[in-house]
Amino acid sequence: MFSRIRREGNFILSSGAKSSCNYDYSRLSDAMNEAYCGALKQKLDAWQSNHGKFNVIVGCETEGIRIGYVLAKLIDLPFHIMPKKNTDYAEVVIPPYSIDTHWLIVDDIVTTGSTFIKTVDLLDIEEKPESITFACMIKRNPAKMDYSQVSGDPDKEQFHVRDERFNFIDKRLVALHSE
C-alpha cells in the first residue's frame, strides 16, 4: 500500500531523524485520497463501535486537512483546520465544544506524534481516552529511523523522547497502514 508515493533514498524528516524512505501524500490524486479515506473510514467505524462516536474532526495542515475534510463529509461531522504554525492558530475560529466532545484528529503521516501533541495543546483538550482519537494514513515505525544526529540538536531533541503522551497517542491511533 502507498507504493506510489513511497520514495527510497536518504531523507531528513521534520523531526530531524534520518530515514531511508519517505512518503509524499500530496502526490495522490483527489480520487485516490477519497478512496483511501473510504478505507480509513471503515477502520474508524469499527473503532467507534468500541470507543464511542466522534463529534468533530480536526485536520492537521497540510495533508491532514485534505484527509480530514473528506472524512468529515463521509461521516457528516463538523470539520476544523489545525494550522502548522502556532502563530496561525490565532486566525482559526473553532467554536467552543463541551468537555465530553470526542475529537478525531487527523494527519497524513505519523512518525513521532508531535503534531498530534501540539494539536491537543492548542485545542486545550483534556487527554482522556473517551475524548480523543487520532487517525492517519501512514504510521511510520520509529525503530526504522536514525535519531543519532537528533540528540545533539536542542531544537529537535524533544521529537524523539518518548513519554506518556506518546504512549497515549499509540493507544488511540487508527492507521490505515503501518510500516
Side-chain angles (χ1 to χ4, degrees):
M1 187 176 278
F2 296 109
S3 59
R4 181 175 287 221
I5 63 170
R6 182 183 165 107
R7 298 289 177 253
E8 302 294 325
N10 295 311
F11 302 95
I12 298 178
L13 306 176
S14 61
S15 63
K18 293 181 180 178
S19 177
S20 61
C21 76
N22 201 9
Y23 299 89
D24 184 0
Y25 196 85
S26 68
R27 293 178 49 119
L28 289 178
S29 68
D30 288 341
M32 289 181 76
N33 177 57
E34 288 181 28
Y36 283 129
C37 285
L40 181 58
K41 181 190 176 294
Q42 290 177 352
K43 283 190 162 191
L44 291 168
D45 288 345
W47 176 269
Q48 288 183 93
S49 68
N50 294 320
H51 301 281
K53 296 286 184 189
F54 310 127
N55 303 111
V56 62
I57 298 176
V58 174
C60 300
E61 190 176 19
T62 56
E63 293 301 312
I65 294 171
R66 185 176 179 210
I67 296 162
Y69 182 74
V70 171
L71 286 172
K73 289 193 315 188
L74 290 172
I75 302 173
D76 193 28
L77 290 174
F79 173 73
H80 302 287
I81 294 171
M82 179 54 59
K84 194 170 282 293
K85 294 180 182 175
N86 293 359
T87 54
D88 293 342
Y89 183 69
E91 298 175 23
V92 175
V93 178
I94 298 179
Y97 286 92
S98 70
I99 195 163
D100 60 342
T101 297
H102 189 162
W103 299 79
L104 175 61
I105 302 173
V106 180
D107 207 356
D108 58 338
I109 302 166
V110 174
T111 303
T112 62
S114 57
T115 299
F116 286 150
I117 288 172
K118 183 177 109 178
T119 300
V120 168
D121 288 345
L122 288 172
L123 292 171
D124 197 23
I125 305 170
E126 184 178 345
E127 293 177 38
K128 54 186 184 177
E130 61 275 9
S131 65
I132 304 171
T133 297
F134 305 98
C136 68
M137 290 297 177
I138 301 164
K139 181 183 185 294
R140 298 197 62 150
N141 183 347
K144 293 182 177 183
M145 308 290 156
D146 174 5
Y147 287 95
S148 62
Q149 301 300 311
V150 179
S151 61
D153 184 346
D155 293 331
K156 301 287 184 176
E157 195 167 0
Q158 72 279 7
F159 287 121
H160 75 284
V161 177
R162 302 288 294 180
D163 64 19
E164 67 278 354
R165 294 187 84 192
F166 289 109
N167 292 334
F168 179 77
I169 291 170
D170 289 342
K171 291 175 185 168
R172 303 293 303 168
L173 179 65
V174 178
L176 184 58
H177 171 73
S178 295
E179 285 186 330

